[in-house]
Amino acid sequence: MRKHGFPAAAALAAVIATGWTTPVAAGADEGSYWLSGPYAHDKLAVYLIHREGGYGGPVPLTLNEAMQQGLIEVIETGEVEELVVRNTGDHEVFIQSGDILKGGKQDRVLITSMIVPPGSGDLSVGVFCVERGRWSGRGGEEASGFSQSTVRLPSSNGRIALFEQAQRWLAPEGAGAAWSDWSDGEDLQSRVWESVGEVQADLAWAMSLDVADKRSPSSLQLSLENARLASALERYKANLGSLAQRNPDAVGYVFAIDGRIAGGDEFANDGLFRKLWPRQLTAAATEAIADKDVSTWGHPTLAEIEAFIDAARIGEAAGMSMPGDMNLVTLETDEVLHTELLRPGGLLVHRSFIAF
């Protein structure tokens, strides 16, 4: 499979930074935002997206928060690509594309971002399997439901497959809307499985350790719980883990690995970003650890990050309605895949960028 990335425009001297660089103004079309960075450790460089006041709106519970508080149920349906969520609480719950659910008859990854409204009743959600072969309870886990969602899919190739599935839902072939004909007819579940195998193999190479867990060798979730990997990730957390807390106007980030812009996320407000930053960082750092490339690229400049963000907004769009009167929109260009979850009136909940 070809390597996906958005290369910097010129080779630069490596800059290892843990503080501000000069911010760059951007995004006049929807209110000013600015960028800071790079904040870097090893191959990973992070750039923060700052926006005064964000987009407003409430700070929902994260999926894992709601699961641990017993306020949301994620229920096995017996179908590989479908689960049911039920919010029994009185707070919104934010689900992010790429969240991995542990348990059930096999671990799954959520395809699209969404808000699960309070007292939602049963809502169907689309998922892919990230644990090939298992179709029963694992150990003492409950096969009818899921126990946690603490990690994200650390694979650009896997996230591209999620985007493509969402776009197929939004823009069926022949509908005249955005359509990625380069993946037309491809079995995207198989591509997700392939991406899981790539992550496991690359981590094994990087750490000289088989990260496949004997309890279920195909489980990406169990591989990401590996103690040696957790130890390696601590160094990234020590250098970059406090970024969201130290930058109270930050609402998102873009990350680059070995000089290649990989993607990023922007959220409605700083409160949601702060809650989600640890798992965003863990996923990005895991990709950096697994990366095999050794290049002469330095970290991308702030201007290159700005160009990447702006490029995401000019693609051909497709959209569909989501629960809670929200809308999901996908946009695609030759360089960037872009998804937005919007409240009524176009108010942002979540925006994702994937370098292509």
Side-chain angles (χ1 to χ4, degrees):
M1 180 173 289
R2 66 191 178 89
K3 193 77 173 181
H4 297 280
F6 189 94
L12 304 169
V15 178
I16 304 300
T18 57
W20 285 85
T21 65
T22 303
V24 170
D29 60 320
E30 57 174 21
S32 62
Y33 73 84
W34 62 99
L35 304 170
S36 68
Y39 307 89
H41 177 74
D42 199 11
K43 292 184 176 184
L44 177 65
V46 173
Y47 304 77
L48 294 181
I49 302 170
H50 303 260
R51 189 184 296 275
E52 187 174 357
Y55 291 86
V59 180
L61 294 173
T62 67
L63 177 57
N64 197 58
E65 279 182 318
M67 292 175 78
Q68 299 312 306
Q69 294 176 34
L71 300 177
I72 195 168
E73 298 175 69
V74 185
I75 304 164
E76 183 68 77
T77 66
E79 300 291 333
V80 171
E81 296 185 2
E82 180 184 14
L83 299 174
V84 164
V85 295
R86 181 189 301 142
N87 183 355
T88 60
D90 56 4
H91 294 282
E92 292 182 336
V93 178
F94 174 66
I95 287 176
Q96 187 176 354
S97 172
D99 283 349
I100 294 177
L101 292 156
K102 181 181 181 180
K105 293 186 176 180
Q106 55 188 198
D107 299 334
R108 311 291 221 292
V109 61
L110 291 153
I111 293 173
T112 63
S113 296
M114 64 184 290
I115 290 284
V116 186
S120 65
D122 290 353
L123 296 177
S124 175
V125 294
V127 292
F128 281 131
C129 167
V130 284
E131 184 183 11
R132 190 171 191 170
R134 179 170 73 91
W135 196 243
S136 61
R138 181 178 53 204
E141 296 175 351
E142 176 58 56
S144 62
F146 295 80
S147 61
Q148 65 181 45
S149 178
T150 58
V151 294
R152 300 193 64 231
L153 182 64
S155 164
S156 291
N157 287 331
R159 287 193 299 274
I160 289 170
L162 303 185
F163 175 93
E164 291 303 320
Q165 182 60 64
Q167 196 174 68
R168 288 182 183 183
W169 290 338
L170 272 58
E173 186 175 13
W179 178 256
S180 297
D181 56 7
W182 60 269
S183 70
D184 187 11
E186 182 179 358
D187 179 358
L188 295 175
Q189 173 61 84
S190 293
R191 182 132 63 91
V192 171
W193 280 330
E194 182 180 352
S195 74
V196 169
E198 289 173 346
V199 171
Q200 291 177 318
D202 290 347
L203 286 173
W205 172 85
M207 302 174 65
S208 300
L209 174 72
D210 185 1
V211 296
D213 193 292
K214 292 181 180 179
R215 292 170 292 173
S216 181
S218 66
S219 170
L220 179 58
Q221 170 75 37
L222 296 185
S223 291
L224 297 177
E225 293 175 2
N226 180 276
R228 281 267 302 276
L229 175 60
S231 178
L233 289 169
E234 284 301 320
R235 293 188 286 274
Y236 288 85
K237 294 175 183 178
N239 282 281
L240 305 174
S242 64
L243 284 179
Q245 296 293 335
R246 291 192 286 112
N247 293 275
D249 53 7
V251 294
Y253 70 103
V254 173
F255 73 102
I257 297 173
D258 201 31
R260 295 172 287 104
I261 300 176
D265 295 272
E266 184 179 355
F267 301 94
N269 49 54
D270 57 282
L272 184 55
F273 175 55
R274 279 196 298 273
K275 289 202 291 186
L276 290 169
W277 173 238
R279 63 194 301 158
Q280 314 298 124
L281 173 59
T282 296
T286 300
E287 285 191 60
I289 291 170
D291 182 67
K292 292 182 176 180
D293 287 353
V294 179
S295 77
T296 57
W297 295 109
H299 300 313
T301 65
L302 289 172
E304 289 165 342
I305 301 298
E306 179 185 354
F308 172 76
I309 292 173
D310 290 346
R313 298 177 180 173
I314 61 174
E316 187 177 4
M320 72 175 183
S321 297
M322 298 288 284
D325 295 323
M326 300 196 187
N327 290 290
L328 184 71
V329 178
T330 64
L331 300 96
E332 179 179 340
T333 74
D334 291 339
E335 298 173 333
V336 190
L337 306 178
H338 179 198
T339 306
E340 293 184 342
L341 179 65
L342 304 170
R343 294 184 184 274
L347 196 65
L348 181 74
V349 176
H350 174 229
R351 171 182 290 139
S352 66
F353 313 95
I354 310 171
F356 177 63

